[in-house]
Amino acid sequence: MSETLKPGLTSTRRYDIDAGRTIGFMGDDCRVYSTPSLLYDIEVVCRDLLLENIEAGKDSVGTRVELDHVGATLLGMWIEITVTVTEVNGPAVTFEFTARDALEEVARGKHSRFVVGAEKTAQRLKAKLAKALAAA
């Protein structure tokens, strides 16, 4: 791993909550940031922080998430996600995160990722696809 990838490393990113990031089943007046969109955005912030601090040809995959979505963020508001590396154990990296909008904390939790060789992972996935197609 890189010398810069260590506990305490942090990143914050802000997202505008547009219609594509919201639930629609409560009607247009009650559109709020969906949990799946929140999780996706958290994973992107964590992955991008890793990509800035690992070798070329490496990437990461998510392996575990603990997510408490404790507040609603309305359509048109912004969300700010802050992730912090809490543990680096070889290729296994653990993050803690918080998310807040202009008024309150709306989420907190932990996320684990595993650093992989991009080419080797692609070869493994292609082999699995070939095996699945042969079995079909």
Side-chain angles (χ1 to χ4, degrees):
M1 288 302 119
S2 154
E3 291 180 22
T4 60
L5 182 59
K6 55 188 172 188
L9 189 62
T10 189
S11 181
T12 299
R13 184 169 302 159
R14 185 178 284 197
Y15 293 94
D16 292 324
I17 305 306
D18 57 17
R21 283 189 161 91
T22 63
I23 61 156
F25 59 83
M26 293 190 56
D28 285 341
D29 290 343
C30 295
R31 284 191 167 272
V32 295
Y33 195 26
S34 73
T35 302
S37 294
L38 170 62
L39 175 57
Y40 177 82
D41 291 341
I42 291 163
E43 284 206 81
V44 167
V45 178
C46 291
R47 179 177 175 258
D48 286 351
L49 181 59
L50 282 176
L51 288 174
E52 294 170 7
N53 291 279
I54 58 178
E55 299 83 23
K58 301 281 186 179
D59 207 318
S60 67
V61 294
T63 58
R64 188 167 203 291
V65 177
E66 295 176 40
L67 171 62
D68 295 319
H69 195 169
V70 298
T73 302
L74 299 165
L75 173 65
M77 294 180 79
W78 53 262
I79 191 83
E80 194 169 79
I81 298 170
T82 299
V83 303
T84 302
V85 174
T86 57
E87 184 178 357
V88 178
N89 186 8
V93 182
T94 303
F95 299 84
E96 288 185 355
F97 61 83
T98 59
R100 64 173 300 104
D101 59 28
L103 302 175
E104 63 188 352
E105 180 183 78
V106 297
R108 62 183 162 270
K110 296 180 182 181
H111 179 45
S112 299
R113 298 191 70 78
F114 196 84
V115 176
V116 297
E119 186 175 315
K120 185 176 180 180
T121 300
Q123 290 172 355
R124 183 178 56 80
L125 295 175
K126 289 175 186 175
K128 184 173 183 174
L129 176 60
K131 191 174 183 179
L133 292 174

